[in-house]
Every structure is written in C-alpha cells, then in structure tokens.
Amino acid sequence: MASLVIIVTLMTFVVSTYFIAPKYTSSSELLIENSGVEKALFGTSIYDNTTYQVERDVQTRAEMIKSPQVVEAVQKRLGVTDNVADKIDVKSVKDTNIIRITAVDTDPNMARDLADGFASEFIEWRRQSNRSAIQDARQLVEQQLARAQPANQDALQQKLEDLRISEVLQTGNVELIKNASAALTPVSPKPGQNTVIAFVVSFIAGCGLALLLNIFDTNLRETSEIEKEINLPIIGMIPPIHHNDNGSYQPIFTTDPMGSEAESFRVLRTNLQYVDLGKNVKSMLITSMAPSEGKSTTLVNLALALAISGKKVIIMDADFRRPTIDKQLSLDNSIGLTNVIAGNCSLREALQMVDLSELSLNHLKNSQGAYGDSGNTTKPFNSQFLYCATTGPMPPNPGEIVSSLQFKEIINEAKGYADYVLVDAPPIMSVGDAASMASSVDGMILVIKLLHTSRNLLPQAQKFIESMPCTPLGVVVTNFTSRKKDGYYGYNYGTNYSD
C-alpha cells in the first residue's frame, strides 16, 4: 500500500508540473440597465418597478452573450477560428444587475482578450439591435407624418426627434464596468494542491484495496497467521524454491549447497532433532494441506541434509496419486512400494541407493559452472548415501494400500534399517490417505506454503492434527521471504560453511 501511495503521489506531481499546460483566467464585468427602447418607442416604459423582472432579464442577457452573432464577431475581432464560446463562462452576480464573463486559456493575454472581446462585442450587438428597432419605428413615424393632418403634425414631429436622439445616444443598455487583465499566475494545474489531493486519494484507495485484498484474497501472508491457528511450532522456513526452465526441480544440495535454500534445510534438520528429544521418532509423515505446497521437495532436501550429517535415511514415496520423488532423485519407478505390498519383491529389493556425490556430479555434468565460474567440479559430499523406495506402478486403490497392514509392516521394517524414515503423503485436504498412514508412523510434519495456502484451511488442519494418532512435530513454512516482522533471518553463511 505504501508503494501505491508513493507512486501515485509522485506521478501526480510530475504530470501536473511538467506535462499539463498551465491555464489562466481573466474576467470582465457588464452592468445591465433597464431597457430604454420601449420608452423611446412608446413614450413610457412597458415595465414598472413592481412587475419588471430584473433577475430574469439579466439571466437572459447572460445567455445571449454566447449567441452565434456575438461568437462570430469575437472570432473576427481576435482572428481565430476555434470555438471561443467553449473558453468562456458567463454568470450573473447574485442580487445584482452585473454579468461576469470569465475566459480560460493557456495564454494569459488570450484569456484577457477573450473576456474583453465578448464584453465589447455583446455591447455592440445590443446597440445595433436597439438602433435597428428605433430606425424601423422612425421610418413608420415619418410615413405617418407625411399623411398627418396639420393638427397632428407637431406631436409626430416631436416623436420623430425623440427617436432620432435615442438612435444616436443608444448604448444597448449595457455598460462595461470592469475590463479584464492578464493573470500572472495560472489557476491550474496546482502541483502542490494536486499532490496533496493525490496523496489523500491514493492513501484512501490503498486502504480500500488492502481491505478488499484481505477480504477476497485468503492466501496466507505471514507466519503469525499460522502460529495463531496451528498449535505446533514452526521448525523450518524455506525460501522460494527455484525450478528449472522446463519446470523440473533439482535438489538444492546438488546445485547450491552453500546457498540460503540449503542452509534453511540445515536449520530444519537441527530443529527437528530438538523437537524429537525424548520422543524416539524414527518414521515421519510429511504432508501438506493442499497440492503444490512443496512437501515432496521439502522431504527430499531434508533427507539429503540428514544424510550429509551422517544419518541413515530411507525415503518412502507413498503419494500414490502424484508421485514426484523418483523424478527429483532420477530413480527408476518400475519397482516400488506397490510391488512390495503385492508380495512381488521384498523391501530390500525395492530400495534404491542414492549416492549423494554421484547425484551432485550428475547435475554438474548437466550444468556447467554450477559451483562458480571457475568450473570447479569438486564433489560437495564424501561418499554418503540414502535409500529410497518409490511408489512403483500406480495402483487402482491407493486408499486401501496405505491403510493396509502390509504398509505398516513395511514402515516398521524400514525403521530397522535407518535412523530416519521419511514418508511422502498426499495433501490432507485432498484425500484421506495421510490420515490412514498416520497410525503407521511415529510423527508428522505439516508443510504450509505462504501466498498459496488459504487461511480458511487452518482450522481444519488443526482439527486434523488433533485427531492424529502419531506425534505432530511441527510446521515447515515454504515460500518464505525474510521480514523483520516474522523475527526470522535469511541464511547465508558463505562458502566456508560445511557440515
């Protein structure tokens, strides 16, 4: 939100200062007098002080200032062809006989000339209109005088003289009482005022946007949201995982063993050893609430971190619906757990050995300079191993397999061979496989991805945890970006750090 406010405010200031042409205003004022034409024609005013509607007369004349005759005269006066009527605003001053003409233009002198031009040309147009009416009346009186009897000639002659005088002295009953002047400062834009308005508006809009995002975007954003709903410690915070261009993933310990991602898994390994104190947890179920939260990636890298530290580790891919472990470790999936459960082979025969040094070198062959521009191909590990049982051929009944007695016996057998048995399970909110496996393992780790998992799922996850027959060990947060608010730090101990 802060970024939105700053960007909008700066853009408003820059645009209003450098990209919007300044506009100037100038005003002239006219005094509207009671018409004297009817007195010249009829000898008396048609309207008396009681019935004469001054306000209506002023309003009418204000509208007449923009008449086509006046506009054309102003265009000729100023030598322009554009529609000058759009550049003026005509209003009557309240409770007076005064009309104010305000012109707006990017040139202060043109604004002045427009205001004065409309005032002068309206006066001239009114004068000519009145004179024309008086001339028509004078011609009529002259005709009557030529046919009049001697007794009526004196009165008609006097009337004729009055019309001639009125014609000569005609002012149009409009007087210019204020000339326009060129403005020294523009009325718009006002960078300071616009910037303040933009700041206020963008701040309000930002608050509204944040509120809408909070209402409609239910994705988890902070670890504090998890801690509030899930009654488990956060034992790992994994930064965003980078995948290859083709979407595949190579374990981080084979690509950047000294980077922040690898270090986050070392910290997870250490924290896991602390939460395991006195619990004798050897087999661990690793699952998530929803798909694509990084549970399989977390499992593989945690297994590598444990193996590098000298622990005997067996990975068991029990996600029979979307297996990925074989791809991440480049293993053959033709024989696996389904074969063992079916009695076609033993667990020992299904286990595949993963040589960590060979796994790393295989990657180095595919990625030149993975450990620096020097092209150094020194093995990052000594001869350390872990073992993996992939899913094997996809079964038609995954739910029955993971809840079977044979599956539990396989887990127990694996525990006799290793210090840790890590079991990959489907998401808990997708299918019931993880719940069925829980009775076969000692502990469980829940993986939650920030900016992906809905906070609405947290209460259901807590209920799931409370119903688990195994020991809940903690939460691993993936897609984590270090913030002071979370009280966590980024990992980067440099290339001299080693296990």
Side-chain angles (χ1 to χ4, degrees):
M1 186 187 75
S3 300
L4 174 66
V5 173
I6 293 173
I7 291 173
V8 172
T9 302
L10 287 177
M11 287 182 62
T12 302
F13 175 79
V14 171
V15 170
S16 62
T17 303
Y18 300 103
F19 293 94
I20 298 179
K23 292 184 178 181
Y24 300 83
T25 62
S26 188
S27 299
S28 60
E29 293 182 353
L30 299 174
L31 176 64
I32 306 300
E33 301 171 345
N34 292 346
S35 176
V37 175
E38 68 277 3
K39 188 172 183 179
L41 296 177
F42 307 109
T44 183
S45 177
I46 295 177
Y47 306 101
D48 55 30
N49 292 333
T50 303
T51 61
Y52 183 65
Q53 301 179 25
V54 177
E55 184 176 351
R56 170 179 282 186
D57 188 46
V58 172
Q59 288 289 350
T60 301
R61 299 199 186 195
E63 293 297 323
M64 293 170 63
I65 289 177
K66 286 189 174 184
S67 64
Q69 297 90 330
V70 177
V71 170
E72 183 179 358
V74 173
Q75 289 174 326
K76 290 181 180 180
R77 177 190 182 102
L78 301 180
V80 296
T81 57
D82 54 329
N83 189 3
V84 291
D86 293 338
K87 296 184 177 182
I88 67 164
D89 180 57
V90 182
K91 291 183 179 179
S92 59
V93 180
K94 188 176 180 180
D95 298 330
T96 68
N97 287 13
I98 297 175
I99 293 176
R100 181 176 294 124
I101 304 172
T102 302
V104 181
D105 198 87
T106 55
D107 182 356
N109 294 324
M110 176 58 75
R112 175 200 60 199
D113 294 343
L114 281 170
D116 279 345
F118 269 94
S120 299
E121 292 302 329
F122 178 69
I123 291 174
E124 182 61 25
W125 178 68
R126 287 295 302 168
R127 182 184 294 119
Q128 292 301 329
S129 296
N130 288 353
R131 282 178 177 173
S132 178
I134 294 173
Q135 287 174 356
D136 291 342
R138 180 170 55 80
Q139 291 175 0
L140 180 60
V141 172
E142 287 176 347
Q143 294 173 2
Q144 291 175 348
L145 183 60
R147 300 191 302 268
Q149 297 295 325
N152 298 327
Q153 288 181 351
D154 291 342
L156 291 172
Q157 188 65 42
Q158 182 61 46
K159 181 64 176 179
L160 184 60
E161 290 299 322
D162 291 342
L163 289 172
R164 287 172 177 168
I165 294 173
S166 179
E167 180 182 352
V168 174
L169 300 178
Q170 186 55 235
T171 63
N173 307 109
V174 183
E175 180 182 354
L176 179 63
I177 60 174
K178 177 187 174 184
N179 288 102
S181 60
L184 300 177
T185 57
V187 293
S188 69
K190 297 179 179 179
Q193 177 179 312
N194 292 346
T195 301
V196 172
I197 294 174
F199 175 82
V200 174
V201 172
S202 59
F203 179 79
I204 295 174
C207 291
L209 180 61
L211 180 61
L212 288 175
L213 287 175
N214 188 55
I215 294 174
F216 296 105
D217 183 7
T218 61
N219 289 339
L220 290 168
R221 295 182 175 275
E222 307 290 345
T223 57
S224 58
E225 298 179 85
I226 300 173
E227 294 170 328
K228 182 179 179 181
E229 297 289 342
I230 303 294
N231 190 25
L232 285 178
I234 294 178
I235 59 176
M237 295 185 180
I238 312 303
I241 300 297
H242 302 288
H243 291 75
N244 298 327
D245 293 338
N246 61 2
S248 63
Y249 174 75
Q250 192 77 18
I252 193 62
F253 284 99
T254 67
T255 60
D256 187 15
M258 302 304 164
S260 61
E261 290 181 36
E263 186 58 34
S264 67
F265 286 106
R266 292 189 185 96
V267 173
L268 170 59
R269 176 193 65 196
T270 302
N271 291 339
L272 183 61
Q273 292 170 347
Y274 280 112
V275 299
D276 185 26
L277 288 175
K279 297 178 181 177
N280 194 28
V281 174
K282 295 191 68 175
S283 58
M284 286 176 283
L285 189 73
I286 298 182
T287 185
S288 60
M289 292 197 293
S292 304
E293 295 197 69
K295 63 177 180 61
S296 301
T297 300
T298 298
L299 183 148
V300 168
N301 285 290
L302 174 59
L304 291 173
L306 289 167
I308 292 169
S309 68
K311 301 295 182 181
K312 297 177 182 178
V313 182
I314 292 180
I315 296 175
M316 302 187 69
D317 191 353
D319 189 348
F320 294 101
R321 303 172 190 273
R322 291 182 59 185
T324 60
I325 301 296
D326 58 303
K327 299 179 182 65
Q328 294 195 31
L329 295 178
S330 301
L331 300 176
D332 180 16
N333 196 30
S334 60
I335 298 178
L337 292 176
T338 53
N339 302 97
V340 179
I341 293 173
N344 297 327
C345 67
S346 66
L347 176 60
R348 281 181 173 273
E349 292 173 327
L351 289 174
Q352 300 181 60
M353 185 181 69
V354 179
D355 186 335
L356 275 61
S357 59
E358 184 178 340
L359 182 67
S360 178
L361 287 175
N362 286 338
H363 174 71
L364 287 173
K365 292 176 183 178
N366 298 325
S367 304
Q368 294 182 356
Y371 293 96
D373 295 333
S374 62
N376 180 21
T377 58
T378 302
K379 295 182 181 181
F381 315 115
N382 294 322
S383 295
Q384 296 158 320
F385 305 91
L386 60 80
Y387 292 86
C388 179
T390 62
T391 59
M394 299 295 287
N397 54 344
E400 295 180 14
I401 287 180
V402 297
S403 60
S404 66
L405 179 61
Q406 293 93 322
F407 182 80
K408 186 172 184 178
E409 291 175 347
I410 291 172
I411 299 293
N412 290 332
E413 181 182 351
K415 288 165 60 176
Y417 302 147
D419 297 314
Y420 290 100
V421 178
L422 305 184
V423 183
D424 189 15
I428 62 177
M429 298 301 175
S430 300
V431 290
D433 294 9
S436 300
M437 296 183 205
S439 60
S440 301
V441 297
D442 302 325
M444 185 272 292
I445 294 175
L446 182 63
V447 177
I448 298 177
K449 185 176 182 180
L450 293 181
L451 303 178
H452 175 84
T453 306
S454 172
R455 65 174 66 91
N456 296 334
L457 296 178
L458 293 179
Q460 301 177 53
Q462 178 59 33
K463 291 181 180 179
F464 174 84
I465 293 169
E466 292 172 352
S467 65
M468 292 279 282
C470 62
T471 302
L473 299 175
V475 174
V476 174
V477 178
T478 59
N479 200 35
F480 173 81
T481 302
S482 178
R483 295 188 183 96
K484 290 182 179 179
K485 182 175 181 180
D486 289 287
Y488 212 66
Y489 59 91
Y491 308 104
N492 191 3
Y493 289 99
T495 56
N496 292 327
Y497 184 90
S498 65
D499 288 280

